[in-house]
Amino acid sequence: MVGRLRSLARFDALVLTALLWFLAKFLRYAFPPLFGTLQAEYGVSNAVVGSAFTALMLVYALMQFPSGALADRVGAVTVITVGAVVAAAGALALVPSVPFALVVAAMLLVGIGTGVHKTVAVRLLSQVYPAQTGRALGALDTLGAFGGVAAPAAVVALSTGPYTDWHAVFLLGGGVGIALAAAFAFRVPKRVPDSRNVAADGSAGVREYAALFRRPRFAVFVLVTICFSFAYNGAVAFLPLYLEESGGLSTVAASGIYSALFVVSLVQLLTGEASDRVGRLSIIGFTLGLAAVALVALVVVGEANVLVLGAVVAAFGLGSHGFRPVRGAYLVSVIPDTVAGGGLGAVRTLLMGAGALAPAAVGILSDVADFRVAFSVLAASMAAAAALTGVLVVIGDDADSDASGGRPS
């Protein structure tokens, strides 16, 4: 019994890192359900609240590279802890009667604080669990996905009672964030070897990061992630409307299928562990291929019954979510330790930029032509990602020859 408890205790770094990621997603996605409330309370328009949330997401995206580069110098634990405190401070600032200008400032703090987490967490978990990187990242991404699911429910539960309002969501989240940051700072350094708390010499510059992209295999995989991000974000943004207009479903049925897309994110636990056992490129190729086939099917089947469309969307979710943790595991296996944080940050900045452009592209194409044309473009992008992965599989990659996650020299 004692031995089993000790075995479980070694996952404390994973649990705390994943809980902080859950909270990061929770705080970010608690804002959209409150747009109507904010408009009514402050007398602002859709454009104003939408622009405020866009600002939050922009600062979130802009933090990817600098947070990774900073982690290369001062260590992942420090960056994650400070980021959690900043996000919690933003949440705690949302007290009753706060002016709208301070609401926007608090949103920016949440964006900055949560923006430093994922890039640095991927590197940290790969260091603490080198032989189980895929499994660890699968757990991280799965728990994070449910943070986005829990946020709307919490907004309803904590803002509709006779003695509560929407501020309670953030005050509670901020308090939990401070507690988790303290526990993380106390426990996790004990799990990270001293030599890995900081980069080898902390002297990496822009040229070292840029040199990564001159490596053909790395550049190809970055293109894979960009194609995937464009296809996935474009599909997710308009899937409910697509199912209604092109699939002939009711609003209720389309919403139900859309929810299922996120429920199947549990597959990340399986693909993450599978990548540790059979190799990362193989799992990446399979998951991207499944997602591409599902998007093609979504375009081809047209109006169909809810079961057929539900199965297609579930397949798309299984492939897309299954890819995520393996993508992170592969990247940390091919980026040298001295530029690991900044390298991951640079890649995440590119893929998030592509993802941000996708909804606008789909919206324009659907207006100019129709949704089938727009989703055909997304399917082509996902197919390109799968095909490029196939090229990497055929060429072979030293980093994938060892499923345990060792980096090439």
Side-chain angles (χ1 to χ4, degrees):
M1 188 61 162
V2 174
R4 180 174 297 180
L5 289 175
R6 287 178 178 174
S7 178
L8 292 174
R10 70 188 181 90
F11 290 105
D12 55 355
L14 171 59
V15 170
L16 289 168
T17 304
L19 286 174
L20 282 171
W21 184 227
F22 173 93
L23 186 63
K25 287 283 191 84
F26 177 91
L27 290 175
R28 289 208 312 275
Y29 292 111
F31 285 108
L34 289 168
F35 282 177
T37 300
L38 292 174
Q39 289 177 55
E41 184 171 329
Y42 293 102
V44 294
S45 65
N46 277 328
V48 171
V49 292
S51 297
F53 190 70
T54 295
L56 183 158
M57 296 306 294
L58 284 175
V59 296
Y60 173 86
L62 291 173
M63 289 306 298
Q64 303 303 307
F65 175 73
S67 64
L70 185 61
D72 287 335
R73 294 177 177 273
V74 303
V77 172
T78 300
V79 174
I80 289 176
T81 302
V82 172
V85 172
V86 170
L92 291 172
L94 293 170
V95 297
S97 301
V98 63
F100 185 72
L102 291 183
V103 172
V104 175
M107 292 174 71
L108 294 178
L109 284 177
V110 169
I112 292 170
T114 59
V116 308
H117 187 87
K118 181 65 181 290
T119 295
V120 184
V122 169
R123 179 196 181 194
L124 174 70
L125 293 179
S126 72
Q127 293 175 340
V128 180
Y129 308 103
Q132 299 170 308
T133 299
R135 178 190 296 181
L137 296 183
L140 176 76
D141 284 331
T142 299
L143 196 56
F146 280 94
V149 174
V155 168
V156 172
L158 293 175
S159 64
T160 58
Y163 303 108
T164 59
D165 63 17
W166 64 270
H167 303 87
V169 176
F170 296 99
L171 296 178
L172 179 61
V176 172
I178 293 294
L180 285 175
F184 182 88
F186 176 73
R187 291 290 304 178
V188 175
K190 300 176 182 179
R191 302 296 179 191
V192 184
D194 290 341
S195 62
R196 295 183 178 180
N197 278 331
V198 295
D201 57 12
S203 61
V206 174
R207 290 184 179 179
E208 286 78 4
Y209 294 120
L212 288 172
F213 296 87
R214 291 196 291 270
R215 294 162 49 188
R217 289 171 178 167
F218 182 80
V220 169
F221 189 75
V222 171
L223 188 56
V224 167
T225 68
I226 290 174
C227 289
F228 165 82
S229 184
F230 181 85
Y232 176 79
N233 284 277
V236 168
F238 284 93
L239 185 58
L241 194 56
Y242 179 87
L243 292 173
E244 291 179 43
E245 295 191 6
S246 298
L249 298 184
S250 67
T251 300
V252 173
S255 297
I257 291 177
Y258 189 62
S259 296
L261 174 66
F262 297 99
V263 172
V264 298
S265 65
L266 288 168
V267 73
Q268 294 172 128
L269 296 171
L270 300 178
T271 56
E273 182 166 0
S275 71
D276 291 331
R277 296 177 180 274
V278 303
R280 286 152 193 151
L281 285 178
S282 300
I283 300 299
I284 289 171
F286 175 79
T287 54
L288 290 178
L290 178 61
V293 169
L295 275 180
V296 171
L298 198 60
V299 173
V300 171
V301 296
E303 292 191 11
N305 65 53
V306 67
L307 293 178
V308 172
L309 290 172
V312 171
V313 171
F316 173 67
L318 289 170
S320 299
H321 290 298
F323 166 69
R324 290 172 177 272
V326 194
R327 172 185 63 192
Y330 181 83
L331 284 170
V332 297
S333 72
V334 298
I335 299 176
D337 284 326
T338 53
V339 292
L344 284 170
V347 174
R348 279 181 55 79
T349 298
L350 291 173
L351 67 91
M352 290 177 65
L357 292 174
V362 173
I364 292 170
L365 286 172
S366 64
D367 287 340
V368 173
D370 58 33
F371 267 123
R372 289 192 182 282
V373 172
F375 270 65
S376 295
V377 172
L378 299 180
S381 183
M382 189 69 81
L388 289 170
T389 303
V391 172
L392 289 176
V393 171
V394 171
I395 295 175
D397 198 308
D398 293 339
D400 199 53
S401 63
D402 179 8
S404 65
R407 286 189 176 92
S409 58

